[in-house]
Amino acid sequence: MALHSLTLEQYFNRSHTAVPGGGPPFTTLLSHVGLVGKLLSRDLRLAGLLDVLGTSGDTNVQDEAVKKLDQIANETCVQVFQRSDVVCALASEEMEKPVIVSKPGRQAPYMVLFDPLDGSSNTDVNMPLGSIFSIVTHQPDDRPPGDRDLLQKGTDQLAAGYLLFGPSTMFVVATGKGVHGFTLDPGLGEYLLSHENMTIPTRGRIYAANEGNYQKWPEGTKRYFDHLKMDDKGTGRPYSGRYSGCLVADVHRILLNGGIYLYPAEAKKPEGKLRLLYEANPLALIVEQAGGLASTGTKRILDVQPERLHQRVPLLIGSRDDVREAEAFFAKS
Ligand code: AHG
Ligand code: MN
Ligand code: MN
């Protein structure tokens, strides 16, 4: 078979990649996430030519200014998943309340929690963007899900994925069977397997963080960042800083090349900035399955029991040795 000729659907329909709790409905769901990626990549490619840049004038439930593209991406996700026969509930960073897609009788098996557009400050400057998806199952399946059914720990996720809108559009998926990356061939309208069994190096040489927040950090956090700049680890050079303002793009770089992404707690904002259910949990599942770690600074992300849908959490994510080292510095705060 020629290189890069296996589609997303073909790949997940093969028996050895079958997901526990998966089967044909799971492949259907991945295909629908893929459709969201195709629709959004079309919108983003033309964004500078259409009236879709800038803010909408609204603020979201997180009290953040909503970009027009945040709304478009959210509506795209809702429309695609609402029409999907395999999804019974949706929760989004952009919506205060979940959408329950209830039908009489047996319920659809999956619930999807998502950040429809990640890195939305990049929309107006033609920089990378992403979308993040967490997939959990609904049980028992004989009643419609309620809001609390969506509050599942990261370890309970069936699968997670992100779309990265860069020079090419990629769909990276973690199931119980490794992490695999697919690249959209826009001419074919298909995602083709391009990165099978992705693994993250145990240590990297780059860090990604918004260091403008340095003065707000606790002492241990500041000392860790000072250490990254001093420590040559035998190579004669410090870590390189690489921060795009898009979590998906920064984590994707780290997944491929190693290193660490941090959005740590601040002295006056101990809960951090990023959202547990829409950002931290799905990316933690992907990075852990690739051999890395994700931590709040003191605890494994996937073990945090969610109490609220829009709960925030500090996030340290990336290569195993880098995350462990950061935790050790943070513990000295
Ligand atoms: P979102 O666009 O979904 O609100 O997420 C933005 C996130 C993340 O993508 C990025 O790493 C971080 O927030 C950027 O925040 P700062 O502007 O504070 O650095
Ligand atoms: Mn985001
Ligand atoms: Mn977002």
Side-chain angles (χ1 to χ4, degrees):
M1 185 177 283
L3 189 64
H4 307 320
S5 61
L6 200 58
T7 69
L8 177 82
E9 289 81 2
Q10 284 174 321
Y11 190 74
F12 283 102
N13 280 336
R14 295 186 320 175
S15 57
H16 71 276
T17 46
V19 176
F26 181 72
T27 309
T28 301
L29 178 57
L30 290 185
S31 188
H32 291 163
V33 175
L35 175 60
V36 168
K38 291 176 199 175
L39 292 165
L40 291 184
S41 85
R42 188 185 61 185
D43 290 344
L44 293 173
R45 191 158 294 128
L46 298 175
L49 301 173
L50 305 172
D51 180 27
V52 293
L53 299 180
T55 52
S56 68
D58 296 335
T59 51
N60 68 10
V61 59
Q62 335 263 346
D63 219 17
E64 296 160 338
V66 175
K67 294 271 189 184
K68 288 180 192 166
L69 278 166
D70 281 321
Q71 274 182 345
I72 292 169
N74 190 60
E75 281 161 20
T76 302
C77 289
V78 171
Q79 282 179 15
V80 169
F81 295 133
Q82 260 186 332
R83 288 181 189 148
S84 160
D85 282 343
V86 297
V87 175
C88 62
L90 312 173
S92 162
E93 177 190 283
E94 296 298 336
M95 301 188 297
E96 188 179 351
K97 292 267 175 206
V99 173
I100 307 297
V101 192
S102 179
K103 300 205 171 81
R106 195 177 167 84
Q107 302 300 313
Y110 304 120
M111 303 189 283
V112 187
L113 302 97
F114 54 89
D115 175 357
L117 197 64
D118 173 63
S120 50
S121 69
N122 284 358
T123 52
D124 301 346
V125 291
N126 199 18
M127 292 275 286
L129 290 150
S131 304
I132 313 173
F133 303 87
S134 165
I135 299 169
V136 292
T137 44
H138 170 54
Q139 280 158 346
D141 59 12
D142 57 356
R143 62 160 177 83
D147 293 9
R148 295 205 66 79
D149 292 314
L150 286 150
L151 301 180
Q152 300 191 20
K153 278 207 289 196
T155 45
D156 294 333
Q157 291 172 103
L158 176 70
Y162 62 76
L163 294 160
L164 170 59
F165 306 103
S168 61
T169 295
M170 280 196 70
F171 184 8
V172 174
V173 193
T175 61
K177 299 271 182 78
V179 180
H180 311 295
F182 300 81
T183 301
L184 178 64
D185 180 329
L188 292 176
E190 296 275 11
Y191 292 88
L192 301 179
L193 181 67
S194 54
H195 299 66
E196 191 172 17
N197 287 321
M198 298 169 82
T199 54
I200 182 168
T202 50
R203 186 180 273 281
R205 300 224 47 83
I206 59 163
Y207 70 97
N210 183 347
E211 278 194 278
N213 294 322
Y214 185 91
Q215 296 301 341
K216 303 178 196 168
W217 290 336
E219 280 311 307
T221 309
K222 287 182 181 170
R223 275 200 293 274
Y224 174 66
F225 279 85
D226 296 343
H227 165 80
L228 290 174
K229 291 170 191 144
M230 300 297 295
D231 184 18
D232 69 11
K233 298 200 169 62
T235 67
R237 60 186 169 86
Y239 270 46
S240 292
R242 294 281 185 274
Y243 188 67
S244 71
C246 171
L247 171 67
V248 168
D250 289 325
V251 168
H252 184 71
R253 181 204 294 274
I254 287 165
L255 190 59
L256 293 174
N257 297 338
I260 182 166
Y261 173 100
L262 306 99
Y263 215 110
E266 294 169 10
K268 291 189 183 156
K269 212 166 137 193
E271 73 279 15
K273 170 179 181 180
L274 298 173
R275 278 95 352 174
L276 175 63
L277 294 172
Y278 315 117
E279 296 173 313
N281 267 346
L283 294 179
L285 188 79
I286 293 166
V287 167
E288 279 207 5
Q289 287 194 12
L293 290 176
S295 165
T296 65
T298 55
K299 186 174 184 177
R300 184 182 179 215
I301 289 283
L302 296 178
D303 287 335
V304 176
Q305 176 62 54
E307 278 157 18
R308 296 177 314 281
L309 212 46
H310 298 287
Q311 182 170 338
R312 295 175 192 265
V313 74
L315 178 65
L316 288 55
I317 187 166
S319 293
R320 189 191 63 202
D321 292 354
D322 285 299
V323 173
R324 289 217 174 113
E325 185 175 54
E327 283 179 325
F329 271 87
F330 283 32
K332 290 184 214 139
S333 280

